[in-house]
Amino acid sequence: MPERYDVITMGRIGVDLYPLQSGLPLSRVDTFGKFLGGSPSNVAVAAARLGRRTAVVTRTGQDPFGTYLREQLREFGVDDRWVSPVDAYPTPVTFCELFPPDDFPLYFYRQPKAPDLEIRASELDLDAIRAARVFWMTGTGLCAEPSRSATLAALSARDRSGVTVFDLDWRPMFWGPARGADPAALYRRALALATVAVGNLDECEIATGERDPCATARALLDAGAELAVVKQGPEGVLAVHRDGTTVRVPPLPVDVVNGLGAGDAFGGALCHGLLAGWPIERVMRYANAAGALVASRLACSSAMPFPSEIEAALGEHEERARRKRERKAGA
């Protein structure tokens, strides 16, 4: 029997085209860099960078961009055996604008439909998904059929085994009357089948109706999660476990270049820390550091940090904090 995967992610993939000029609107940008993108695909890359055996379940167009994405996954050490082409739709492209430190507008080109929303339940390797130590899915996968049914089928096959992560991943532009779906109801169905819920305050509000960090964490636990991770941007991250453990971790200060990949780096590091069996506070500090490192870089996928980089960043942060405490004590 082949070795089981540490992490299998499922959902969005595409080509990110990021401007190589910061502080300019797209109308004035002349040059772009091309990168693998899509949150669950980036999470798989991030976990692979940390030494985990990863794979992604997704679909691309039958076009040169689709070929590029499959090549990139393999180059990053992510198994692409469940990445299949769709003849009918082109591979999605995403542009962004860079206005550091906190404004990074995204422009998604996923029309008439993204191939990753054509994942079908009948084509899933449910044995592999069931056996994976971590399974990671996203809210975007629930926005349209047949991806919606496939995502719920994968969650049902997991039956809350191992670590089953629901990345709330709220992208309102992917939903609409034509999709014929109630996001809040679908989020509740998925939460009942997940053991970990991860999201920022906007995403948590969609899932729970709550916006206060503590209230939304409690609501995520009440909905079925064992661990609720609420990302609060400059306020850091709040993690609450069903056993009562509550951790608040401040952000790691960096000079932000592009904040868009930070959450995916956080996700890959979260998977790594949970698989390692670390205490929740250590997991959150490690994941925060991974996210901060990527925020200080242009790309997402190719910017995902290696363990030595995360440990160095944590060490430097602790040293700065120690010096600050000493100065304060001597004042």
Side-chain angles (χ1 to χ4, degrees):
M1 182 177 180
E3 180 186 358
R4 66 176 178 167
Y5 291 89
D6 291 317
V7 180
I8 294 178
T9 68
M10 178 175 175
R12 199 164 74 248
I13 196 169
V15 174
D16 286 346
L17 293 174
Y18 288 166
L20 300 182
Q21 299 153 284
S22 186
L24 292 177
L26 283 181
S27 60
R28 295 176 55 196
V29 173
D30 295 322
T31 56
F32 296 85
K34 180 180 68 174
F35 307 98
L36 179 148
S39 182
S41 300
N42 280 336
V43 168
V45 171
R49 279 275 169 95
L50 299 175
R52 298 299 177 177
R53 184 171 187 250
T54 70
V56 61
V57 180
T58 190
R59 306 196 75 180
T60 70
Q62 183 74 277
D63 53 32
F65 274 156
T67 301
Y68 164 76
L69 292 175
R70 292 190 292 275
E71 290 174 348
Q72 284 289 285
L73 287 170
R74 293 192 293 270
E75 190 171 308
F76 288 129
V78 178
D79 195 324
D80 71 332
R81 69 180 60 195
W82 297 304
V83 181
S84 58
V86 176
D87 290 331
Y89 304 118
T91 300
V93 175
T94 302
F95 289 86
C96 81
E97 293 175 315
L98 303 177
F99 297 107
D102 58 4
D103 187 17
F104 305 98
L106 281 169
Y107 302 87
F108 292 98
Y109 293 82
R110 291 169 59 87
Q111 299 299 330
K113 187 180 185 181
D116 54 60
L117 294 177
E118 285 292 295
I119 300 171
R120 299 179 181 278
S122 61
E123 298 169 349
L124 295 176
D125 186 338
L126 293 178
D127 288 337
I129 289 171
R130 193 179 294 112
R133 299 174 70 194
V134 175
F135 176 67
W136 180 288
M137 48 71 65
T138 76
T140 295
L142 300 172
C143 78
E145 293 289 6
S147 172
R148 179 184 307 140
S149 292
T151 302
L152 292 171
L155 287 171
S156 296
R158 291 284 292 179
D159 195 23
R160 296 176 57 83
S161 61
V163 177
T164 302
V165 184
F166 181 9
D167 174 6
L168 303 180
D169 184 43
W170 172 243
R171 303 286 183 178
M173 68 286 291
F174 299 161
W175 298 73
R179 301 297 192 191
D182 177 357
L186 288 165
Y187 272 49
R188 287 193 296 271
R189 286 182 65 184
L191 281 168
L193 297 167
T195 63
V196 179
V198 183
N200 61 33
L201 288 175
D202 290 337
E203 294 165 338
C204 289
E205 186 174 16
I206 292 296
T208 68
E210 301 283 355
R211 190 163 182 88
D212 173 78
C214 292
T216 199
R218 288 194 297 270
L220 291 170
L221 297 181
D222 290 343
E226 297 291 325
L227 174 65
V229 180
V230 183
K231 296 182 286 188
Q232 303 172 75
E235 300 302 316
V237 62
L238 168 69
V240 182
H241 194 276
R242 186 177 295 279
D243 66 9
T245 302
T246 300
V247 171
R248 292 177 175 83
V249 176
L252 204 71
V254 294
D255 293 326
V256 175
V257 173
N258 180 2
L260 294 175
D264 303 336
F266 182 100
L270 172 68
C271 294
H272 178 66
L274 292 175
L275 287 170
W278 295 343
I280 293 175
E281 181 171 3
R282 182 181 177 187
V283 174
M284 293 303 126
R285 290 190 183 280
Y286 194 89
N288 250 5
L293 284 168
V294 172
S296 70
R297 302 167 178 176
L298 173 64
C300 291
S301 53
S302 61
M304 294 301 168
F306 293 96
S308 59
E309 295 176 301
I310 299 176
E311 295 294 347
L314 287 169
E316 291 170 7
H317 177 66
E318 181 56 36
E319 179 61 19
R320 286 194 299 268
R322 183 188 64 80
R323 291 176 181 175
K324 184 177 180 180
R325 290 193 298 269
E326 289 177 351
R327 287 195 300 269
K328 187 175 181 180

